[in-house]
Amino acid sequence: MTKLEVRSNVSFKEVITSVELVDFMGDSTMEIVATSINGDIRLFSYRPDEKNPLKEISKVEGLPPLAAVGVGDILGNGKPDLVVGGLDNAIRVVSFLDDELQVNAVTPVGSLPTAIGVFNVLGDSSSEVILATADRNLRCYGWYDVALDKLAHKVLEKPIFSIRPLTSAGLPYSRFVFGDDTGYLYVYQYADDRLHERSKISVGGEIGIVATGDITDNGTSEVMTVSDGKMLGLYGLVKGSMERLDSVRAPNEVTALRIGRFWELDAPKGQLVVSHANSRVTLLHFEGMRIGEEASVKTARRATDSAVAVGDISGSGTPEIVQAVGNSLNVIEVLSDSL
């Protein structure tokens, strides 16, 4: 039997707008990166057995409120960086150098950033930035010495709000996926100084969230979309084309989603971590080409939005779920007879 249990709950003065788990120390234990409504970026380590389980390592203050966040190795030094998009229509590269978070570069983009993806689209030693803005522009940036340089630019039909990498077995670079309110899921690739559409599939309904991860253990990412707020659709590459594997309707609006093979449960299966607008976190599984529910927990009486991230923040070797809901961070453990 599997269940979700809230191990720690920490409240803050300000509302938390995003949460990411990043291994800044290089020790396979991830740190918590939380952004707040007033533009702060705070970095914490997690100490589950202490009275105050979150220890602040570093903080960046005074930034414009943030609209989008991405994580990846921009500088090419083997360490992850943050790329944040602010309400001042600019993106910033934030690095962890000399034991503190530092803003490395500021790049004006002319419109509100709506989604940021940071992943390797060239197959080299560093990651690139894929940026979507409210004026329907899609751009690709690369790091050159001290600044981000635009590599490619394309105008889309509609604004997009979620971009994720699509890794494929045998390919040294990532393609990427996104959806829009026309109901299409797109697969794109950077090549020859351009952004190319490689395929698309009609999902139906406005796509607000996409997530990617290898849940079938075949070395290639699957894609999950959230359309019309509640419809979860799972898609995979079959002979080079995107095909629907299964779908399920969530009981409440979905606000955040992560997919992958995080825990070794009773049987080998992929997992889908879903956070809802009513603060409920649900763990779904994918087994035998079907989506099923594994466990769920409600973390707050009232909530309007929430975000989740998954990773080993305790150093136990087993991932935890970190949920940001309102002005609180919840650390949720997955408990199972097989763990």
Side-chain angles (χ1 to χ4, degrees):
M1 180 179 178
T2 303
K3 67 176 182 178
L4 303 182
E5 183 177 283
V6 178
R7 173 70 183 271
S8 302
N9 172 272
V10 180
S11 296
F12 298 86
K13 293 181 180 180
E14 63 274 7
V15 172
I16 301 168
T17 53
S18 72
V19 60
E20 299 286 347
L21 305 184
V22 186
D23 181 10
F24 279 118
M25 307 300 177
D27 58 0
S28 299
T29 298
M30 307 184 96
E31 285 71 49
I32 300 173
V33 178
T35 66
S36 66
I37 197 168
N38 58 1
D40 294 343
I41 304 174
R42 301 176 69 178
L43 176 63
F44 300 94
S45 63
Y46 179 61
R47 304 172 298 177
D49 298 322
E50 299 191 17
K51 184 177 180 180
N52 182 6
L54 295 186
K55 177 184 178 182
E56 186 170 294
I57 301 172
S58 184
K59 182 178 182 178
V60 174
E61 300 178 277
L63 299 181
L66 303 180
V69 179
V71 180
D73 180 9
I74 297 295
L75 305 187
N77 59 3
K79 299 179 180 180
D81 306 288
L82 304 174
V83 180
V84 298
L87 297 187
D88 62 341
N89 298 346
I91 57 175
R92 292 167 170 82
V93 177
V94 180
S95 303
F96 187 70
L97 301 171
D98 300 324
D99 297 325
E100 65 178 10
L101 293 173
Q102 302 177 20
V103 178
N104 266 335
V106 182
T107 304
V109 294
S111 184
L112 177 68
T114 57
I116 295 174
V118 183
F119 31 84
N120 193 328
V121 300
L122 292 176
D124 56 11
S125 61
S126 62
S127 295
E128 286 71 45
V129 179
I130 303 296
L131 172 71
T133 50
D135 57 358
R136 301 181 293 112
N137 281 281
L138 184 68
R139 301 179 178 94
C140 177
Y141 293 90
W143 182 260
Y144 286 90
D145 294 329
V146 295
L148 288 173
D149 183 49
K150 188 171 68 174
L151 305 177
H153 177 204
K154 186 167 186 176
V155 179
L156 304 174
E157 293 183 9
K158 298 286 185 179
I160 58 176
F161 300 93
S162 186
I163 304 172
R164 300 299 297 172
L166 185 71
T167 59
S168 301
L171 289 182
Y173 57 86
S174 291
R175 290 168 288 178
F176 56 96
V177 296
F178 58 86
D180 60 24
D181 62 11
T182 65
Y184 278 95
L185 173 66
Y186 296 89
V187 177
Y188 263 64
Q189 177 182 336
Y190 172 81
D192 303 322
D193 299 327
R194 295 185 180 183
L195 296 172
H196 300 270
E197 179 186 311
R198 290 308 185 199
S199 65
K200 67 178 182 179
I201 183 173
S202 177
V203 171
E206 298 180 1
I207 301 175
I209 300 173
V210 295
T212 57
D214 181 8
I215 64 174
T216 59
D217 201 25
N218 64 357
T220 297
S221 300
E222 283 73 42
V223 183
M224 176 158 272
T225 63
V226 180
S227 55
D228 291 339
K230 294 183 179 181
M231 183 58 67
L232 298 169
L234 183 62
Y235 298 83
L237 284 171
V238 180
K239 296 181 179 180
S241 298
M242 195 68 69
E243 294 187 7
R244 187 173 70 89
L245 304 178
D246 196 16
S247 61
V248 64
R249 186 172 180 82
N252 302 102
E253 182 180 354
V254 175
T255 57
L257 177 67
R258 299 295 171 104
I259 74 174
R261 296 175 71 90
F262 306 116
W263 302 276
E264 293 297 329
L265 302 178
D266 297 332
K269 60 186 86 170
Q271 289 104 25
L272 322 166
V273 179
V274 183
S275 192
H276 302 274
N278 65 350
S279 84
R280 182 171 293 280
V281 174
T282 303
L283 177 61
L284 305 174
H285 65 249
F286 181 69
E287 184 181 20
M289 302 301 288
R290 298 295 298 175
I291 299 171
E293 183 172 327
E294 194 82 28
S296 69
V297 64
K298 186 173 172 59
T299 60
R301 291 183 179 180
R302 296 179 181 178
T304 57
D305 203 356
S306 60
V308 289
V310 179
D312 180 9
I313 60 173
S314 63
S316 65
T318 300
E320 291 87 14
I321 300 170
V322 180
Q323 180 201 36
V325 54
N327 66 335
S328 296
L329 277 179
N330 297 305
V331 177
I332 302 169
E333 291 187 339
V334 178
L335 304 177
S336 173
D337 295 338
S338 60
L339 292 177

